[in-house]
Amino acid sequence: MKTQTVTRKSFRREGEDKRREDLIAATLECVAERGLAGATVREIALRADVTAGLIRYYFPTKDDLIGAAYRAVMNRMTVQASDALQNAPNDPRARLYAFVTANLGQPIMDPNNLSLWAGFIGLVHADPAMAVAHREGYLGFRDELEALIREALLAVGKPAEAIHTRRHAIAINAIIDGLWLEGCLAGDIFADGELADTGITAIEAVLGISLKAEGGAP
Amino acid sequence: MKTQTVTRKSFRREGEDKRREDLIAATLECVAERGLAGATVREIALRADVTAGLIRYYFPTKDDLIGAAYRAVMNRMTVQASDALQNAPNDPRARLYAFVTANLGQPIMDPNNLSLWAGFIGLVHADPAMAVAHREGYLGFRDELEALIREALLAVGKPAEAIHTRRHAIAINAIIDGLWLEGCLAGDIFADGELADTGITAIEAVLGISLKAEGGAP
DNA sequence: CCAGTATTTATACGCTTGCATAATTAGAGC
DNA sequence: GCTCTAATTATGCAAGCGTATAAATACTGG
């Protein structure tokens, strides 16, 4: 008769996609709470209720997991912004308005997102693969923004040549990024909606059109 | 007769300030080249041509050294921007112009600076001491900017009440931060001076005044 | 219900890390 | 030139890291 001296952790088998998602989610939790350095394989495994060895079964190396997590964050923010567009009215100016305010409010403007983003950005300079991942995300965002800007300009009968819309996209992207940063880092010193409001006002000034009321062109 | 079996590293005693500066400089090198994770006490000591133990003689803990390095970076950027102000003409609008372009050009807009900044920002959320250091730097920068904005507005006879200048400072700070970010991350895809130019144009639009030519008020 | 396999656990190894502490030495002051 | 002390080196340690690999187990298809 054999006594059960040690008990092995019971477990359930999960689909590959589910596990990957869980592991990425656990990684994001770690980074958000304790910085990139706090995202150790053991801590990640603990949060995912899994043993450390399993991580390597799904991700060849820890850096692969980290990279996947980065892409997940960026993708999530992109999707959230796109969702706001889906629910926006059909008017081009209203769509640009919705896009901007979505990026400057919850859940995109969140300290956790910034921690994640900053931790990864710090690696961009050293890791070429991360650099590629980042550039793609940045250009994708800016292109989407530029399209919105063009349509908004055309809607009020303003010229919208590529040379100008590119410049506008660069500037407005900067406004969004900058305000997003400020809000993530010190959201408590701003009134609710103040940053989104500030962003809209600044963007209206840059484009020379109104985004809220009717009638922008003279 | 005693043979010299092992040779001990020869060294010179240095002043406390000099050593601290050297150690901070070595830290910044490490972070810039290989990210925050690459800044280990041993690597830092190597670059400073010193043994690892000495670090603890000047900084109680590694985090203290990291924090000091962060403050040094921010301070350096602040000083460089202030230098640009010193050499600027006395006209308020020219001074704001100089401040903006200085922050959006070399040596402030540099990938290394971003790596350092991002690495540290990633810690802000987890480490209260870093959070304090950051907030002080941020508010200091914004206050300086707000003062420049007020003077520029007054110079052209525009109203410059605190409620408005604060908003302007928030927006323009965002423009500068956002463009600085873009330039640091992907400076190669922009023409020389393009970002500074874009920034000036956007800021002029936000304030409704010209910063280059004479005569801004109607 | 049984076998086979993909998934998961468990264990261990080698390395690096930050930090402590003892031994040494350069340089200042008398 | 001697002495004393503060600055520096050298050595070691315990903890935590990522990764490798073998053993165990839950599920799938027949």
Side-chain angles (χ1 to χ4, degrees), chain A residues 3 7 45 61 124 128 145 174 185:
Chain A
T3 47
T7 53
T61 184
V124 165
L145 182 59
L185 277 167

Side-chain angles (χ1 to χ4, degrees), chain B residues 20 24 31 37 53 113 120 142 153 162 171-172 180 191 194 206:
Chain B
R20 286 191 127 88
I24 287 175
V31 178
N113 280 347
F120 293 127
R142 211 183 73 187
L153 286 175
I172 291 170
W180 176 78
E194 180 178 15
V206 166

Side-chain angles (χ1 to χ4, degrees), chain B residues 175-207:
Chain B
I175 293 174
I176 295 173
D177 281 0
L179 290 174
W180 176 78
L181 248 159
E182 296 187 58
C184 291
L185 277 167
D188 52 298
I189 66 177
F190 298 105
D192 226 47
E194 180 178 15
L195 290 176
D197 220 58
T198 305
I200 291 293
T201 304
I203 292 170
E204 286 177 330
V206 166
L207 293 181

